[in-house]
Amino acid sequence: MFCNQCEQAESGIGCKEYGVCGKDEDVQSLQETLLCGLKGMAAYAHHARRLGRSDEAVSAFIEEALFVTMTNVNFDVPTLLEKVLECGKHNLRVMEMLDEAHVAHFGQPAVAEVGTGTRPRPGILVSGHDLLDLHNLLRQVEGTEVLVYTHGEMLPAHMYPRLRNHPNLAGHFGGAWQLQKREFEAFGGAVLVTTNCIQEPRESYRDRVFTTRATAVPGCLRLTTDDFSAVIARALELGPIPERAGAGIPVGFHHSVILGAAPAILDAVKAGDLTRFFLIGGCDGAEPGRNYYSEYASNTPGSSLVLTLGCGKFRIMGHDYGTLLGLPRLLDMGQCNDAFGAIKVAAGLAGALGCGVNDLPLTIVLSWFEQKAVAVLLTLLHLGVRNIAVGPAAPAFISPNVFKLLQDGYGLKLIGSDAKADLAAALA
Ligand code: SF4
Ligand code: SF4
């Protein structure tokens, strides 16, 4: 453990093995888990609030949960575990509000093929998660020669008609966040990063990167209003970006789209033509071990559907999965907050089949990187979803005892080192 939040911090540096206050590593672990979950939920709540949605019960919980993590307030493992799961409950509500707000503002999602090439005109690459920033930018480039491309977690923007049909939205460029240094440099135009995950820019492109509100890096202009004229001016100044060819990516498998196909899906499950659902996704990252996910996904049987979301999708995309029931076998449900949609689909299928979510032929293999993934995991645990595999490594803030609590209570496990063996076990 490490804690330096009060004056009693050991040697004026921090308590490492045991708190001077009496806090042990399990209490510290649960408090940190709660803080991480709150951070992830706060990011989603911030997006929802910008789109006019908030919930007083969520705000009240955030205050109470922060209070719980203060010095000399709570040393009780069961109470802290209860608060951790309550964070998951409130995050479910936040993801629901965000889903509703996205649909209300940007239109009913539909399946679309997104081009990944670029055209020789001034360009702006928009990364991060804030669809409202993208929408405002598109409105401001309307009538100009500037074309706008999505990057990373902005890819799901193309499933919403009010964004997809905008004449200046030209496609998608690039993969997950950890490739941005190479991709932002190669893009050639202005870059707008609306949220995480931004990396410290290279000098070669720092002067054409802009950020919005909470997101900032030294030497780049941070925009604090919805006025994007500085980004547009920079794109025009930089001139045409290189022309590139690119394949199409299918997006738009929102929960409403998948549940729209529910009758055919249920018939196929009953007939044995659809044998398993996999949810493989979450965050991507640069650490070794993440090829586990691509190997796992590419070996899933042809009689299964693979749902994905978050930037973890880029890791498993480069494989031809074929089709099943007229659907691509790999179904991109959207951003990490669209885990709400995966929950809706699982609950909908379980309801129709007259069983619980844990009785579905469903395997969940999550990749985590940062605190939004923690909030999503807490939501799944709050719902009682069992046997989730998470990786590539255990969170450093989860102590061995707390991990065992989650293992015993929910069957939570770490991914193994052999994707094919783990897949065979899931199918057995
Ligand atoms: S809150 Fe407890 S563990 Fe943290 S610095 Fe203070 S005494 Fe140490
Ligand atoms: S899914 Fe997670 S890691 Fe990926 S861009 Fe979003 S916040 Fe970052």
Side-chain angles (χ1 to χ4, degrees):
M1 67 172 275
F2 182 80
C3 181
N4 61 1
Q5 72 174 9
C6 87
E7 182 271 340
Q8 292 185 119
E10 193 186 320
S11 311
I13 298 171
C15 300
K16 294 189 196 76
E17 275 164 31
Y18 208 84
V20 173
C21 60
K23 182 155 82 169
D24 66 16
E25 71 165 357
D26 300 327
V27 169
Q28 171 71 0
S29 169
L30 285 164
Q31 290 188 350
E32 285 187 76
T33 306
L34 184 54
L35 285 171
C36 288
L38 287 172
K39 288 182 193 180
M41 179 168 76
Y44 294 151
H46 173 72
H47 294 308
R49 187 178 290 277
R50 274 171 44 75
L51 292 164
R53 310 278 169 133
S54 60
D55 184 328
E56 175 53 28
V58 171
S59 307
F61 173 75
I62 292 173
E63 291 161 16
E64 186 197 352
L66 285 171
F67 185 13
V68 160
T69 69
M70 280 175 55
T71 302
N72 290 350
V73 172
N74 195 312
F75 297 91
D76 184 51
V77 165
T79 315
L80 288 165
L81 185 58
E82 180 188 304
K83 290 294 159 203
V84 161
L85 296 175
E86 220 180 305
C87 181
K89 175 182 122 183
H90 287 287
N91 186 54
L92 179 65
R93 171 71 187 128
V94 172
M95 291 193 296
E96 178 185 42
M97 288 193 294
L98 190 52
D99 177 64
E100 288 170 356
H102 282 158
V103 174
H105 276 75
F106 309 122
Q108 191 59 45
V111 176
E113 180 96 351
V114 183
T116 57
T118 54
R119 287 153 57 189
R121 280 167 51 176
I124 300 174
L125 189 61
V126 186
S127 195
H129 304 67
D130 196 305
L131 300 182
L132 184 58
D133 275 339
L134 175 65
H135 193 225
N136 287 332
L137 173 68
L138 286 170
R139 294 210 303 212
Q140 291 169 40
V141 294
E142 208 164 300
T144 74
E145 59 174 328
V146 177
L147 294 178
V148 175
Y149 301 83
T150 55
H151 176 269
E153 271 283 76
M154 203 53 88
L155 170 64
H158 296 268
M159 72 174 156
Y160 299 97
R162 275 173 220 134
L163 298 169
R164 179 178 68 248
N165 296 334
H166 194 282
N168 292 67
L169 185 62
H172 181 86
F173 179 80
W177 64 272
Q178 74 276 7
L179 305 173
Q180 69 187 247
K181 290 193 179 182
R182 197 174 70 210
E183 292 169 353
F184 288 0
E185 184 164 70
F187 179 69
V191 177
L192 178 67
V193 185
T194 64
T195 63
N196 54 338
C197 290
I198 189 167
Q199 294 178 292
E200 182 70 20
R202 289 179 183 158
E203 289 313 317
S204 55
Y205 65 83
R206 189 185 294 271
D207 64 352
R208 50 188 171 88
V209 173
F210 298 79
T211 62
T212 57
R213 296 173 308 281
T215 310
V217 278
C220 298
L221 184 61
R222 170 178 162 253
L223 306 173
T224 54
T225 70
D226 293 333
D227 178 1
F228 293 105
S229 50
V231 194
I232 298 166
R234 187 73 180 111
L236 288 166
E237 192 179 84
L238 289 162
I241 63 170
E243 184 169 19
R244 306 168 182 92
I249 305 177
V251 300
F253 295 95
H254 185 254
H255 61 84
S256 56
V257 171
I258 296 182
L259 288 175
I265 290 174
L266 291 167
D267 285 349
V269 170
K270 287 173 191 159
D273 298 331
L274 171 48
T275 55
R276 186 150 284 269
F277 301 90
F278 292 92
L279 175 59
I280 305 175
C283 302
D284 204 1
E287 318 76 34
R290 286 186 182 263
N291 285 343
Y292 175 95
Y293 296 94
S294 42
E295 198 181 346
Y296 194 109
S298 60
N299 283 289
T300 54
S303 60
S304 63
L305 290 175
V306 182
L307 310 179
T308 190
L309 46 83
C311 69
K313 68 168 76 74
F314 292 106
R315 176 78 47 172
I316 63 174
M317 259 179 185
H319 174 81
D320 181 5
Y321 291 85
T323 58
L324 184 68
L325 311 174
L327 296 167
R329 277 191 53 240
L330 180 67
L331 303 168
D332 177 11
M333 299 195 73
Q335 298 179 323
C336 48
N337 43 285
D338 291 308
F340 172 73
I343 291 165
K344 286 270 283 187
V345 167
L349 294 177
L353 290 167
C355 65
V357 167
N358 288 319
D359 304 315
L360 286 173
L362 168 66
T363 303
I364 302 177
V365 190
L366 297 182
S367 50
W368 88 284
F369 171 67
E370 45 72 272
Q371 296 86 52
K372 290 178 186 173
V374 176
V376 170
L377 178 63
L378 298 185
T379 296
L380 294 171
L381 296 180
H382 151 73
L383 291 169
V385 179
R386 296 186 56 82
N387 301 325
I388 300 167
V390 66
F397 53 83
I398 302 249
S399 67
N401 285 338
V402 169
F403 197 88
K404 185 152 186 339
L405 264 182
L406 300 176
Q407 206 166 24
D408 293 346
Y410 300 92
L412 184 71
K413 57 192 172 198
L414 286 180
I415 62 167
S417 54
D418 184 340
K420 282 188 187 164
D422 288 356
L423 174 61
L427 292 169

